[in-house]
Amino acid sequence: MGPVLGVGGFLEARARSLQGNPRPTSPGRAGPVRSSVAAPDCCGGLGNLDFRKADLCIMTRLLGYVDLSEPHFVAAVLAIVFNPLFWNVVARWEHKTRKLSKAFGSPHLACYTLGGAILLLNVLRSHCFTQAMLSQPRMQSLDNPAVYHVGLALLGVGGVFVLSSFLALGFTGTFLGDYFGILKEARVTMFPFSVLDNPMYWGSTAIYLGWAIVHASPTGLLLTALVALIYMVAIVYEEPFTAEIYQQKASQAYKRS
């Protein structure tokens, strides 16, 4: 599900960005967290570039800026992991028991309720993501106009994928209506599904990546990597189950004919 960045969080983030303020420092601490172990020399000249070492170098550098035990960072990690777990567990429970549909008197009303809960959780996730970035240092190499505009472009592209996915699927199609027995007549193949599988998830990831780059935030980059990883796990978990739902529908239709 795509992130919904709160207006308050956006204004607070932009204010700090325009002021150029780094992370508020605690007593005895100034600037980014530095590892006591020197980062490996990953390059040694372009002719001797080892991409495995380059990846390690990048990750080591990012981690040098991030305090993994900082409360806002921990809250963001928990929100990122919890959201897909929540909607998958609840949707599968509903598909198996139909208890939400019975409780609300209608599968559509139950689906709307779950969708509203998911939207609220996504607002919370985006707030935690923003607060985690603001509470940690900025990376100077990302803090320039060219990189900033790359971040804006990613925000735009991600927003297009998320919004167009929602328009193509509708509310119930976006928020797991098939688990409530609200099935599409045919597979959606219009844009953005014509150019990308799971565009809602990857559009959301692009938004988080752009948001991190706009704030020159290594913490944001690390959290975006976690978002992408969790979405990949969700896709592996969701797609076979959804395919099974539609296979059952096709089998029932064949028997009736």
Side-chain angles (χ1 to χ4, degrees):
M1 302 299 158
V4 181
L5 295 169
V7 174
F10 177 84
L11 293 177
E12 180 183 1
R14 288 298 300 127
R16 292 200 186 190
S17 176
L18 292 173
Q19 292 169 0
N21 289 341
R23 173 188 179 183
T25 55
S26 57
R29 179 179 181 181
V33 180
R34 301 294 184 186
S35 171
S36 59
V37 180
D41 183 3
C42 62
C43 301
L46 292 177
N48 298 322
L49 184 62
D50 184 332
F51 286 99
R52 291 172 298 177
K53 292 183 179 179
D55 290 342
L56 179 61
C57 180
I58 292 170
M59 185 58 66
T60 302
R61 188 177 180 190
L62 285 178
L63 290 174
Y65 284 83
V66 180
D67 180 358
L68 301 179
S69 63
E70 198 278 326
H72 290 102
F73 181 84
V74 174
V77 169
L78 292 176
I80 289 168
V81 173
F82 175 76
N83 285 13
L85 177 64
F86 167 78
W87 71 60
N88 273 288
V89 169
V90 172
R92 287 204 177 201
W93 174 72
E94 162 63 17
H95 178 73
K96 182 177 180 180
T97 67
R98 299 300 185 205
K99 287 193 175 181
L100 282 178
S101 295
K102 293 174 184 176
F104 287 95
S106 161
H108 284 81
L109 183 56
C111 182
Y112 295 148
T113 302
L114 177 61
I118 292 171
L119 285 172
L120 290 175
L121 286 171
N122 284 345
V123 170
L124 177 62
R125 177 178 63 179
S126 296
H127 173 74
C128 292
F129 187 100
T130 301
Q131 292 304 309
M133 288 195 301
L134 296 177
S135 67
Q136 307 248 16
R138 297 165 66 91
M139 181 180 283
Q140 291 302 315
S141 59
L142 295 177
D143 200 2
N144 64 74
V147 175
Y148 178 84
H149 285 93
V150 170
L152 289 181
L154 284 168
L155 284 169
V157 171
V160 167
F161 278 122
V162 169
L163 180 59
S164 59
S165 297
F166 180 80
L167 294 175
L169 293 172
F171 191 94
T172 56
T174 299
F175 294 105
L176 304 162
D178 38 16
Y179 289 72
F180 291 80
I182 308 168
L183 304 180
K184 294 285 184 182
E185 291 299 323
R187 181 182 177 88
V188 176
T189 57
M190 63 186 295
F191 181 85
F193 295 91
S194 58
V195 299
L196 182 68
D197 289 333
N198 304 292
M200 181 72 75
Y201 283 163
W202 300 126
S204 173
T205 303
I207 290 175
Y208 279 122
L209 179 59
W211 195 232
I213 291 174
V214 161
H215 291 87
S217 173
T219 300
L221 294 177
L222 193 61
L223 290 173
T224 299
L226 179 61
V227 169
L229 176 62
I230 294 300
Y231 278 157
M232 285 190 286
V233 172
I235 290 168
V236 171
Y237 187 71
E238 291 170 4
E239 285 194 337
F241 194 78
T242 303
E244 182 181 347
I245 291 174
Y246 281 90
Q247 186 176 9
Q248 290 173 357
K249 176 191 174 185
S251 298
Q252 291 170 0
Y254 177 79
K255 290 177 181 177
R256 287 196 298 268
S257 63

